[in-house]
Amino acid sequence: MEIHLETENLILRKFQENDVSHIFELDSNAEVHKYLGNKPISTYKQAEDIITFFLEQYEQRKIGRFAAFEKSSGDFIGWSGLKLNSGEKEELNGFTEFIDIGYRLIPKFWGKGYATESAVKCLDFGFRNMNYDIIYGAAERGNIGSNKILQKIGLKFVNDFAFEDKKAKWYELSKLDYGK
Ligand SMILES: CC(C)(COP(=O)(O)OP(=O)(O)OC[C@H]1O[C@@H](n2cnc3c(N)ncnc32)[C@H](O)[C@@H]1OP(=O)(O)O)[C@@H](O)C(=O)NCCC(=O)NCCS
């Protein structure tokens, strides 16, 4: 399935093999990884592996993160979107099979409302197009921005849980409650 989602300021599409330099710019930035386990990448090979993972997700799980571009400049700003976590290796807060909403932007695009704008669109895509029953979100407790976005787009706080050696917060929104 081709993806072309538009918001006021952004265009979202699936990642492609030639997006390696975009992912390298995003994921080699230590600031971006502050609340993601502090493991930024350092090689193009790692960026290629991330792209391969995205492409496999689209193919095997029929969903995955979407590359986001600023309409006004055409610049790649990062990614936003849904992911199907599946299996013990992707266990989080006791869940092994769940749809997660997330976003990861290059710092020069922070503070413009883009993460919220893209997440609103992806949530809508998840419920209306993909017909998911429930969408989850998680953020480290210290990641104020991410916790705020999850709440702003309508997810409800459920519980605190441990993520590696950090404390994190778990949120959910069901299709029944969406838009209420
Ligand atoms: C988290 C992240 C996506 C936020 O992106 P952003 O584009 O700045 O978010 P928005 O502009 O949509 O901001 C949403 C709200 O959060 C607030 N916010 C964002 N970052 C904040 C911070 N560090 N401290 C306090 N508030 C913050 C904004 O002020 C805004 O609040 P408002 O609507 O009341 O004005 C971005 O910082 C990022 O990509 N971080 C690295 C990856 C990451 O941590 N992803 C989330 C993993 S759970």
Side-chain angles (χ1 to χ4, degrees):
M1 177 175 47
E2 280 313 305
I3 296 291
H4 179 92
L5 301 178
E6 276 196 44
T7 66
E8 186 186 348
N9 297 293
L10 306 173
I11 290 176
L12 284 83
R13 63 147 170 85
K14 282 182 176 172
F15 276 98
Q16 301 165 354
E17 277 176 10
N18 60 7
D19 285 319
V20 173
S21 61
H22 290 144
I23 284 296
F24 185 78
E25 183 183 3
L26 177 69
D27 280 306
S28 61
N29 189 312
E31 213 183 333
V32 169
H33 279 259
K34 181 172 176 193
Y35 297 110
L36 307 172
N38 277 315
K39 290 179 281 234
I41 64 170
S42 55
T43 67
Y44 258 58
K45 171 72 174 70
Q46 288 171 297
E48 281 170 12
D49 291 345
I50 292 171
I51 296 281
T52 301
F53 176 73
F54 284 143
L55 301 186
E56 281 173 5
Q57 286 232 319
Y58 300 146
E59 186 68 25
Q60 295 164 8
R61 303 184 184 183
K62 308 301 171 207
I63 192 69
R65 308 302 196 191
F66 299 141
F69 297 83
E70 188 177 42
K71 277 185 186 171
S72 62
S73 63
D75 287 348
F76 172 78
I77 68 156
W79 58 247
S80 189
L82 304 161
K83 177 185 173 200
L84 171 61
N85 285 50
S86 182
E88 292 297 326
K89 273 165 68 181
E90 294 179 314
E91 183 269 339
L92 207 57
N93 190 30
F95 288 76
T96 51
E97 192 85 18
F98 63 96
I99 296 289
D100 157 276
I101 189 158
Y103 24 74
R104 186 176 299 182
L105 307 187
I106 294 168
K108 67 179 172 213
F109 297 105
W110 293 1
K112 296 171 182 277
Y114 288 171
T116 306
E117 190 175 314
S118 61
V120 164
K121 189 75 183 178
C122 291
L123 197 64
D124 193 67
F125 178 79
F127 286 128
R128 289 187 204 277
N129 297 63
M130 301 302 291
N131 207 22
Y132 295 137
D133 290 326
I134 187 157
I135 294 175
Y136 296 94
E140 270 189 30
R141 200 165 66 178
N143 195 343
I144 312 278
S146 186
N147 279 285
K148 196 163 184 183
I149 293 163
L150 291 171
Q151 291 166 33
K152 271 186 83 169
I153 66 173
L155 275 76
K156 302 280 176 279
F157 170 71
V158 179
N159 68 289
D160 292 297
F161 70 103
F163 168 66
E164 298 178 348
D165 60 341
K166 303 284 188 337
K167 293 201 169 93
K169 291 184 176 291
W170 184 258
Y171 298 84
E172 68 176 31
L173 180 63
S174 68
K175 188 164 54 187
L176 287 175
D177 287 334
Y178 177 59
K180 269 190 187 167

